[in-house]
Amino acid sequence: MADLIPVVVPPQFTREGNTNHLHEHKPILVGRPYSYGTAGFREHADQLPFILYRIGYLASLRARTTGKAIGVMITASHNPEQDNGVKIIDPDGEMLAEEWETYATELVNASDEEFPTAVRALETQLNDPPLGSTGSIVVCGRDTRASGQLLTQAARAGATLFRTQFEDRGLVTTPQLHYIVYVLNHASFGPAGEEGYYRHHALTFKELFDKLSKSLTNYTPKLHLDCANGIGAQKMRKLERKLPNGALNIHFRNETGVLNHECGADIVKISHKAPAGFEDVPVNERCAVFDGDADRLVYFYKKEDGQIELLDGDKIALLIAKFYKEHLSSLGLEDECTFACVQTAYANGNSTRYLEEELGITPICVPTGVKHLHHEAAKYDCAIYFEANGHGTVTYSDRFYELLERSDSEAAFRLRVMSRLINKIVGDAMADLLAVELILRHYDWSVQEWAAMYEDAPNKQIKITVFDRAAFITTKDEQKLIQPGSLQVLIDEAVKRRGEKARAFVRPSGTENIVRVYAEAASQADADLLAAEIARATDDYKDCDSDS
Ligand code: 16G
Ligand code: MG
């Protein structure tokens, strides 16, 4: 039997209460067990030091097991400034493998007394991966939240418990850390580190930009960018400086105020309103919006009537899908190359219809959360995946790239460069923005022409706090409830009453103890009424318990 490794757990990191790095004792306020959800662990920052310590350790174990670089990203994305969170990035730049999510949940929920035993059990189960194996390293990054520094120290303490190398990369966007980890493990992909990220994206952008026509009638390089007062502001400025002169004229907004406060992709998508700080932006001008860690992108423009026209993740997906589909057709690669567009239940019904009817692409619907979309997309030679909320990218196989390399046509060149530009590792607001801008330039389209691809079906979302979200179980595509079955009957009846164009579903959130209601209908008034009716019905089930 493998030797047991002695574990010394610093007393400051406990389940019942912990002392932070300032030696203040903090009781753990969360009554429920912690769980590694779709976005890792997310809590009020005060709750997180002991979690970071344990996750730092788990990341080092993952690094030792794989002999590779593993990422630890400290962010709570679009949540308020006082929250924070952590997720682990696997060697291919992907989200943590599912069985390791279970280990993470177990380790974090172990009491102080149980923790050393849990660690030993895990080490034994994994055949005691060697200490300090070549290549194994934990690379940590954080967004601009004030708590990030303290939490990095906690991650370092956990990661170095068994002498694993730990590197603090400081302030980075979430996709930048994914890129850094990927390149550390795949040196041939591109230039390393944060500087390498800028070089790779700026050079690739220039390659395509140089080939596109400069005599444009409808596209203009002027763009207003809402940075959500987050990390995207400083990083996009760095990238912009490296772009060819005149390629983009970005007016940066919301760079240094309170993170995500009345701005950012989440608020614009959900409220359908322009972010704060955009009062003086003229109507019809193109505006783009990042979220707090710059892995989500949506666009909008202000209309004469004071409303905004939102171009969300679905519109971005369809713009990119159109570009890819047309290029693949012109190269005669439609049969040879498997191609798909992956969406979730939140994709607007009219985007799905446009994909099928206008572009001839059968959409694939998977559960919410980037990892589900990414895993599905990876099954194809080339796939575009986007959530309506703005997370998404294009993935492609080595074979796809080889097929393109066989041709020296302009179309093959454009697809090759576009594929390298978009961050195939993970959805990336900065890379997606560059891709969208080049595609608009290619078509010489104004933002209005892009918006006119299809009109969004009116829709409404409502959230309902429940006792136990695990009591709500859906089918795989999340469009129907399996449990409570009687609630699904009510939903079906309500949808039927609102006519042919109506659609609605209820699903438990993967990030909060709530369920979400989504409704679409022929008019906004109908969508609002349908959502309200289903919300009322759902409310009657809010005390359901998954055990009963
Ligand atoms: C997380 C997911 C996002 C998903 C959202 C859904 C990642 C990186 N993020 O933010 O993809 O749309 O959760 O939240 O996977 P919900 O389950 O609360 O609706
Ligand atoms: Mg985010």
Side-chain angles (χ1 to χ4, degrees):
M1 199 177 105
D3 285 345
L4 294 183
I5 299 166
V7 178
V8 184
V9 183
Q12 62 263 41
F13 301 105
T14 70
R15 175 70 180 88
E16 287 77 22
N18 63 339
T19 306
N20 66 21
H21 289 76
L22 307 168
H23 302 287
E24 298 158 337
H25 184 77
K26 298 263 180 181
I28 291 174
L29 303 174
V30 178
R32 64 189 150 76
Y34 296 99
S35 81
Y36 194 102
T38 27
F41 294 101
R42 261 188 214 175
E43 302 292 341
H44 192 283
D46 285 353
Q47 297 287 306
L48 280 166
F50 91 99
I51 295 185
L52 261 293
Y53 172 75
R54 292 176 182 201
I55 288 303
Y57 159 71
L58 191 73
S60 77
L61 184 60
R62 184 82 174 131
R64 284 162 50 207
T65 310
T66 55
K68 299 262 168 75
I70 295 291
V72 170
M73 183 66 203
I74 302 173
T75 177
S77 183
H78 58 274
N79 286 31
E81 156 79 35
Q82 63 272 20
D83 287 357
N84 215 328
V86 59
K87 55 186 170 193
I88 297 181
I89 301 169
D90 257 359
D92 285 341
E94 291 182 17
M95 305 292 170
L96 182 63
E98 219 149 294
E99 71 270 26
W100 282 74
E101 288 187 6
T102 316
Y103 303 155
T105 301
E106 281 168 5
L107 276 191
V108 166
N109 285 298
S111 71
D112 228 16
E113 291 71 37
E114 290 161 345
F115 183 57
T117 318
V119 165
R120 282 193 200 100
L122 204 50
E123 297 264 347
T124 310
Q125 188 184 333
L126 297 167
N127 300 323
D128 289 318
L131 302 180
S133 58
T134 344
S136 63
I137 177 173
V138 173
V139 191
C140 187
R142 61 177 190 275
D143 69 15
T144 50
R145 288 177 161 82
S147 56
Q149 225 162 346
L150 181 83
L151 295 174
T152 303
Q153 289 169 23
R156 180 193 290 278
T160 53
L161 191 63
F162 295 136
R163 305 198 298 272
T164 300
Q165 218 185 319
F166 180 90
E167 237 179 62
D168 176 10
R169 294 283 176 140
L171 298 175
V172 283
T173 70
T174 297
Q176 283 181 322
L177 193 67
H178 284 259
Y179 175 92
I180 289 168
V181 168
Y182 184 86
V183 175
L184 281 170
N185 294 319
H186 303 78
S188 61
F189 179 75
E194 189 186 328
E195 276 312 310
Y197 173 95
Y198 300 121
R199 264 217 339 268
H200 171 80
H201 287 92
L203 284 175
T204 319
F205 179 94
K206 183 175 181 318
E207 251 184 281
L208 192 46
F209 173 78
D210 284 349
K211 286 277 168 80
L212 296 178
S213 164
K214 304 290 174 295
S215 63
L216 300 165
T217 331
N218 301 335
Y219 175 82
T220 52
K222 185 176 181 193
L223 171 73
H224 303 271
L225 177 63
D226 171 10
C227 301
N229 293 320
I231 185 73
Q234 47 180 286
K235 303 304 181 185
M236 192 65 208
R237 275 195 183 273
K238 281 194 181 177
L239 179 55
E240 190 212 18
R241 271 181 229 126
K242 294 191 157 52
L243 298 178
N245 272 344
L248 272 181
N249 170 12
I250 304 181
H251 292 231
F252 286 84
R253 288 164 188 264
N254 296 330
E255 293 189 84
T256 55
V258 180
L259 181 66
N260 297 323
H261 184 64
E262 293 180 14
C263 58
D266 198 58
I267 284 187
V268 173
K269 167 72 183 153
I270 287 179
S271 70
H272 255 257
K273 289 206 180 81
F278 276 63
E279 295 75 11
D280 61 330
V281 170
V283 293
N284 288 330
E285 292 198 357
R286 198 164 70 255
C287 303
V289 190
F290 288 174
D291 72 337
D293 63 336
D295 65 353
R296 276 168 66 171
L297 173 71
V298 298
Y299 277 76
F300 74 91
Y301 64 88
K302 288 162 105 178
K303 297 192 289 192
E304 303 280 354
D305 63 3
Q307 308 284 316
I308 65 162
E309 181 70 33
L310 180 69
L311 297 93
D312 63 3
D314 298 335
K315 271 266 158 76
I316 298 175
L318 266 70
L319 178 71
I320 301 174
K322 174 180 161 67
F323 180 85
Y324 269 76
K325 175 79 183 187
E326 287 174 1
H327 279 71
L328 286 174
S329 308
S330 79
L331 290 165
L333 285 176
E334 275 178 315
D335 293 333
E336 219 174 323
C337 168
T338 58
F339 179 62
C341 194
V342 185
Q343 301 185 309
T344 71
Y346 290 106
N348 193 275
N350 286 349
S351 76
T352 307
R353 263 188 285 281
Y354 187 94
L355 264 179
E356 282 187 305
E357 291 165 16
E358 304 291 328
L359 297 180
I361 303 170
T362 309
I364 297 166
C365 183
V366 300
T368 304
V370 169
K371 66 178 177 196
H372 300 295
L373 289 104
H374 197 94
H375 287 164
E376 183 63 30
K379 294 178 185 164
Y380 298 85
D381 285 324
C382 176
I384 291 147
Y385 75 79
F386 264 89
E387 291 189 309
N389 64 19
H391 277 127
T393 192
V394 180
T395 59
Y396 59 89
S397 64
D398 290 346
R399 186 170 164 273
F400 174 74
Y401 209 74
E402 284 158 22
L403 284 173
L404 295 180
E405 273 181 337
R406 278 191 215 154
S407 160
D408 56 7
S409 68
E410 284 286 309
F413 170 83
R414 280 196 294 268
L415 266 199
R416 268 201 312 268
V417 181
M418 183 55 73
S419 302
R420 271 192 285 121
L421 174 66
I422 296 190
N423 189 340
K424 72 164 185 172
I425 305 156
V426 76
D428 179 339
M430 296 204 287
D432 286 345
L433 183 143
L434 296 186
V436 166
E437 294 298 320
L438 283 179
I439 296 178
L440 291 178
R441 191 178 265 279
H442 168 78
Y443 288 125
D444 188 15
W445 268 6
S446 66
V447 67
Q448 288 71 28
E449 286 170 290
W450 172 23
M453 280 178 84
Y454 65 88
E455 196 180 332
D456 272 327
N459 59 84
K460 174 79 181 170
Q461 284 196 51
I462 298 179
K463 48 180 171 177
I464 294 165
T465 306
V466 291
F467 171 70
D468 181 5
R469 64 178 148 137
F472 297 79
I473 300 171
T474 67
T475 51
K476 190 158 174 284
D477 65 6
E478 300 186 320
Q479 310 229 28
K480 292 233 179 266
L481 280 172
I482 297 171
Q483 218 177 287
S486 49
L487 176 56
Q488 185 57 47
V489 173
L490 297 175
I491 298 171
D492 289 341
E493 286 167 5
V495 169
K496 212 165 160 197
R497 280 196 296 275
R498 297 280 158 200
E500 232 177 67
K501 291 204 167 140
R503 182 172 83 88
F505 62 89
V506 168
R507 65 168 273 279
S509 155
T511 59
E512 302 172 64
N513 204 29
I514 56 167
V515 298
R516 298 189 193 277
V517 174
Y518 178 88
E520 257 175 31
S523 69
Q524 191 60 52
D526 270 3
D528 292 352
L529 286 169
L530 180 57
E533 194 179 337
I534 294 175
R536 272 195 305 278
T538 308
D539 207 54
D540 292 339
Y541 289 80
K542 70 172 184 292
D543 296 325
C544 282
D545 187 338
S546 54
D547 292 334
S548 57

